[in-house]
């Protein structure tokens, strides 16, 4: 699928599922609190399908699939028949109104835990946290060596590259020294301190990662497989040969070898590849080919494969998977609030905010990586929606919750005038955040 249309499709799937689940939370709790629900809509705008249920609720699917809404019987929106006052929203106790408001974010939280639970039972393919450092980078200066395996990040054990990068990303936002425990290729363990305090303030997380220079280690410079009939095989290369140089230019790893082949073959496909076989150093005359292998885009190659990357997969039974899901949900919630706090105080740049475009791109990428990765993505977005909606911003669920908490303290509802002013303030704040996130998405897209 074309990346653009793929991004749009998976964005619609993501928002359709998560926002509908959010609104279903409001609907379900409202019904149990005795409030009459007039309409439950999946999407906005003109209805393309609708029916009225036995309960009198109008269920519909609308043309614009970017969310949904629940319309309840509410005296603030017009006159209410006296006979229906017992099932009207504002006539319910403040605790019931709080329960109805909290239900939306609550259902998003439940969805996040459920998605992670299923993901851990299926198993999410990942890479082992074996890393390298870009020469001259912060990580290289701190002592990270190619082939080091991360064991602990800030005291927490890590099993996969994704877990390690999540913890490092949180630390980068704080720009404080980050202790690591690593195991080198020789099996020895050592402590490494990343001096993140040296990073300049106010940069995006992408810029921080570039400056840190910590990456997944590339495969070693070894011809793990030699394809029959391909240039390397015709030149006499064997599986297990160590790749030393291309046209006299040394190569440090398999990626560097592939880049050296591509760079040299543009000038002349006749290459001198130096390999080590046992105690021998051999010079092999390899004639590179520009072709597509296994459905990949055409490129210069000699027909060899690398050592498979070390894989790591967290797959658990139902009980342990639930514990892992709850733990992951807690960690992500803590990291999200940490990031919000740092942006509010100016310690982290608002350029880290992402909007619809960023979500669409990541949705497409995660969907292409398989169901477990897409479930993980859905869980993260669902949790973000829950947290965002609970922020005390008028017009969001958190704003309504704030009004009801004030009502509990003062013993009477917040005045309509105050609520109206809050709605305008909330709209300004919300559109400001959306505009900033949209600007960040466009800026990142143009620079990529």
């Amino acid at each position: 699928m074309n990346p653009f249309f793929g991004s749009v499709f998976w964005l619609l799937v993501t928002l359709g599922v998560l926002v509908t689940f959010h609104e279903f939370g409001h609907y379900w709790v409202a019904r149990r609190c005795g409030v009459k629900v007039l309409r439950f809509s999946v999407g906005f705008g003109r209805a393309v399908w609708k029916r009225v249920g036995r309960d009198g609720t109008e269920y519909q699917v609308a043309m614009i699939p970017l969310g949904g809404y629940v319309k309840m019987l509410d005296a603030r929106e017009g006159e209410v028949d006296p006979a229906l006052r017992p099932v009207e929203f504002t006539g319910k106790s403040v605790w019931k109104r709080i329960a109805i408001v909290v239900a939306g974010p609550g259902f998003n939280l439940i969805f996040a835990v459920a998605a992670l639970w299923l993901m851990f039972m299926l198993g999410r393919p990942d890479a082992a946290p074996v890393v390298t450092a870009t020469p001259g980078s912060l990580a290289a200066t701190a002592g990270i060596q190619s082939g080091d395996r991360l064991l602990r990040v800030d005291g927490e054990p890590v099993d996969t590259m994704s877990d390690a990068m999540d913890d490092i990303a949180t630390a980068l936002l704080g720009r404080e020294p980050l202790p690591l425990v690593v195991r080198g290729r020789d099996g020895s363990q050592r402590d490494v301190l990343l001096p993140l305090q040296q990073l300049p303030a106010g940069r995006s997380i992408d810029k921080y990662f570039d400056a840190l220079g910590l990456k997944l280690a590339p495969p070693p410079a070894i011809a793990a497989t030699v394809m029959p009939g391909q240039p390397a095989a015709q030149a006499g290369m064997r599986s297990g040969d160590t790749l030393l140089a291309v046209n006299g230019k040394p190569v440090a790893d398999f990626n560097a070898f592939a880049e050296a082949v591509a760079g040299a073959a543009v000038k002349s496909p006749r290459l001198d590849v130096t390999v080590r076989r046992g105690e021998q150093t051999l010079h092999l005359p390899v004639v590179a080919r520009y072709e597509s292998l296994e459905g990949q885009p055409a490129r210069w190659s000699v027909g060899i494969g690398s050592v498979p990357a070390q894989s790591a997969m967290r797959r658990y039974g139902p009980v342990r998977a639930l514990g892992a899901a709850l733990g992951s949900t807690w960690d992500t919630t803590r990291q999200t609030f940490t990031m919000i706090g740092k942006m509010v105080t100016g310690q982290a740049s608002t350029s880290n905010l992402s909007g619809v475009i960023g979500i669409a791109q990541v949705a497409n990428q995660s969907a292409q990586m398989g169901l477990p990765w897409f479930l993980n993505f859905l869980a993260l977005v669902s949790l973000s929606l829950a947290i965002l909606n609970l922020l005390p911003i008028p017009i969001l669920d958190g704003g309504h919750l704030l009004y009801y908490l004030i009502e509990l303290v003062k013993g009477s509802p917040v005045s309509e005038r105050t609520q109206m002013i809050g709605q305008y303030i909330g709209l300004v704040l919300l559109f400001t955040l959306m505009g900033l996130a949209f600007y960040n998405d466009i800026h990142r897209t143009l620079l990529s």
Side-chain angles (χ1 to χ4, degrees), residues 393-395 418 420-431:
I393 298 175
I395 207 174
T418 300
M420 187 65 69
I421 294 173
Q423 297 286 62
Y424 285 122
I425 294 174
L427 281 171
V428 171
L429 289 173
L430 195 58
F431 278 111

Side-chain angles (χ1 to χ4, degrees), residues 43 55 133 138 167 172 205 335 402 434:
D55 54 5
L138 210 61
D167 291 343
L172 283 170
I205 193 69
Q335 292 168 2
L402 178 62
M434 291 173 61

Side-chain angles (χ1 to χ4, degrees), residues 422-445:
Q423 297 286 62
Y424 285 122
I425 294 174
L427 281 171
V428 171
L429 289 173
L430 195 58
F431 278 111
T432 300
L433 285 174
M434 291 173 61
L436 182 58
F438 185 73
Y439 169 80
N440 290 340
D441 287 345
I442 295 294
H443 189 252
R444 277 191 290 265
T445 302

